[in-house]
Amino acid sequence: MVKQVEKKKRRFLRFLIFVVICMTLFFSSAYISYSYLTKYGIEYATTGKIQIPKEEQIEIVIPEGYGTADIAELLHKEGLVEYPWLFRFLSKLNGYDGKYKAGKHIVSKKLNYEGLMIILTSDPEPEPTVNLRIPEGFTVAELIDYLSERGYVDRERFETLCKTKMGNYKFLENVPDRTYPLEGYLYPDTYKIEEDWKEEEIIDRLLREFDTIFKPEYYERAEELGMTVDQVVTLASIIEMEAKYHSDYKKISSVLHNRLNSEMYPYLQVDVTLQYARIMAGLGRIQILTNKDKEIDSPYNTYKYKGLPPGPICSPRVEAIEAALYPEDTDYFFFFATPDGTVIYNKTLEGHNRDLAAHGMLN
């Protein structure tokens, strides 16, 4: 009996030793594996940031809205982690879950889980940017020249896009057929863009800016005036080109509105539309227009064709758009600008001719 008890004790002791050895091996392996999975890659750390040798660098982009599970699958697809489930588990265990940042990150296939986690929760790589100036008063044709000559766009691709009717913005829904449906809507301003932006991205940025400045109440006001958005932008583009000073925008607008609503003076008779007609005919701008230019057979010749031309003649700024929508209340039907940009207004043709003669501008 005593022997049996001692035998059982020895068996239990051997079993206990075996369990202790197994547990020691298990936890040692687990610790080594965990350290390998999470700590390898910290060797690249310098002053708190992981530095990847150039020859090992891999670019990975985390899209906006990606959660830990999405990122784990992306890393697996790119061959950066073998087990997506383990990346998710360790993210929760180590407090990285929900802290990953969208954008471009530089990683390496030599980095393991902890190294990847540190990088992907750090600020993304800054994108190289440039300032892109879209000058006011440019036609699409002139903008194509301007941007392609400076290397911002491929001429053919950019022009093709400008000739495309786009319906993804409310203001473009009812643009009539013309050479450049985007004429008038590539908003003039200075933009910060990334160096590798495609032509589509540049155009979309300019259109988004127009969408921002053309407020919801502008649509309502256009309807009150019995005008389409395109007609408003067309009128604003004429105001933009005719006025040198903002103080004249709404007065010039009043003259144009008065003519549009007049049976006596149904022709706008503005020189800036002749300049556009010349550009579209491949003749370019000239300093001084002549009577011969007034004979150009173009729907943009507002000396020959009544009402508004078929589309904008440049991309107007918000001040010109507001002036087109909210003109001053005047009885003016005539105006002209002196060489210094001062605008002279008149209610009658007689007064207009008298003032032209006084300034030595009567033909």
Side-chain angles (χ1 to χ4, degrees):
M1 185 72 176
V2 173
K3 287 182 179 180
Q4 286 181 345
V5 170
E6 288 187 8
K7 197 173 181 180
K8 285 182 180 179
K9 284 182 179 179
R10 282 196 298 273
R11 264 191 224 147
F12 177 75
L13 186 60
R14 283 198 296 271
F15 174 74
L16 190 61
I17 292 170
F18 174 76
V19 170
V20 170
I21 291 171
C22 286
M23 289 181 68
T24 301
L25 289 172
F26 173 79
F27 283 112
S28 296
S29 298
Y31 176 77
I32 292 168
S33 298
Y34 176 78
S35 297
Y36 174 78
L37 288 169
T38 61
K39 302 303 179 186
Y40 181 78
I42 304 302
E43 63 194 73
Y44 293 127
T46 306
T47 64
K49 184 175 181 180
I50 293 178
Q51 304 292 328
I52 309 293
K54 191 170 183 180
E55 63 275 9
E56 296 178 14
Q57 291 183 1
I58 297 172
E59 182 181 305
I60 187 166
V61 177
I62 306 298
E64 288 286 349
Y66 261 39
T68 301
D70 301 308
I71 293 169
E73 290 301 326
L74 178 62
L75 294 174
H76 177 62
K77 183 179 177 182
E78 296 294 328
L80 293 164
V81 301
E82 188 173 358
Y83 306 109
W85 66 267
L86 186 57
F87 183 86
R88 297 197 302 269
F89 172 74
L90 293 174
S91 290
K92 284 187 179 292
L93 186 66
N94 293 337
Y96 292 111
D97 189 33
K99 295 181 180 179
Y100 296 112
K101 296 184 179 182
K104 182 172 75 175
H105 299 271
I106 303 299
V107 297
S108 164
K109 285 196 173 182
K110 289 188 177 180
L111 283 170
N112 279 11
Y113 291 73
E114 179 80 1
L116 290 169
M117 291 172 188
I118 290 173
I119 287 178
L120 298 182
T121 53
S122 301
D123 289 334
E125 296 291 314
E127 294 287 353
T129 59
V130 294
N131 288 327
L132 173 64
R133 178 174 174 263
I134 305 298
E136 62 274 9
F138 268 31
T139 65
V140 164
E142 291 169 324
L143 188 60
I144 291 168
D145 289 339
Y146 177 84
L147 294 178
S148 61
E149 286 169 3
R150 286 159 178 77
Y152 291 117
V153 300
D154 174 77
R155 173 185 290 275
E156 186 175 338
R157 180 62 184 155
F158 193 81
E159 183 168 20
T160 297
L161 290 168
C162 290
K163 288 181 175 179
T164 304
K165 292 191 75 170
M166 301 180 183
N168 51 329
Y169 287 99
K170 182 179 178 180
F171 54 83
L172 293 176
E173 287 176 356
N174 299 308
V175 170
D177 291 333
R178 55 174 177 253
T179 303
Y180 297 117
L182 299 189
E183 189 78 85
Y185 300 98
L186 301 177
Y187 194 75
D189 205 341
T190 298
Y191 299 88
K192 191 171 286 296
I193 68 167
E194 294 171 16
E195 286 182 346
D196 61 351
W197 272 19
K198 305 296 184 189
E199 289 76 10
E200 292 87 345
E201 293 171 293
I202 292 175
I203 284 178
D204 187 62
R205 179 66 187 90
L206 306 187
L207 294 177
R208 281 191 286 116
E209 190 66 20
F210 183 93
D211 195 34
T212 299
I213 66 100
F214 204 90
K215 304 172 188 175
E217 55 263 37
Y218 290 179
Y219 290 95
E220 296 173 10
R221 176 59 178 164
E223 193 172 340
E224 286 176 15
L225 293 170
M227 301 175 73
T228 66
V229 171
D230 200 59
Q231 288 172 332
V232 169
V233 176
T234 299
L235 184 59
S237 71
I238 295 173
I239 295 166
E240 178 76 53
M241 296 304 293
E242 284 286 355
K244 183 175 181 180
Y245 305 109
H246 286 176
S247 57
D248 285 303
Y249 278 20
K250 292 193 174 185
K251 285 192 179 73
I252 288 176
S253 179
S254 75
V255 174
L256 300 176
H257 274 283
N258 289 343
R259 286 197 167 229
L260 290 172
N261 296 315
S262 168
E263 293 183 4
M264 186 177 295
Y265 302 111
Y267 297 91
L268 292 185
Q269 296 183 319
V270 284
D271 290 353
V272 290
T273 61
L274 290 180
Q275 295 279 18
Y276 188 82
R278 286 183 55 88
I279 291 169
M280 296 306 288
L283 301 174
R285 294 185 188 272
I286 54 175
Q287 192 70 29
I288 301 175
L289 291 163
T290 65
N291 285 329
K292 185 178 179 182
D293 293 304
K294 295 177 183 178
E295 297 303 316
I296 293 174
D297 188 15
S298 165
Y300 288 90
N301 184 345
T302 52
Y303 286 86
K304 292 187 73 169
Y305 292 88
K306 297 177 182 179
L308 286 168
I313 60 170
C314 74
S315 290
R317 290 170 291 183
V318 65
E319 294 85 357
I321 292 171
E322 287 183 350
L325 290 166
Y326 305 99
E328 279 195 21
D329 184 12
T330 76
D331 295 326
Y332 299 138
F333 283 92
F334 301 90
F335 74 92
F336 70 92
T338 63
D340 67 358
T342 301
V343 181
I344 310 296
Y345 301 91
N346 266 286
K347 299 177 183 179
T348 65
L349 179 59
E350 293 77 17
H352 178 63
N353 286 335
R354 182 186 62 244
D355 287 338
L356 280 172
H359 286 83
M361 300 176 67
L362 188 63
N363 292 332

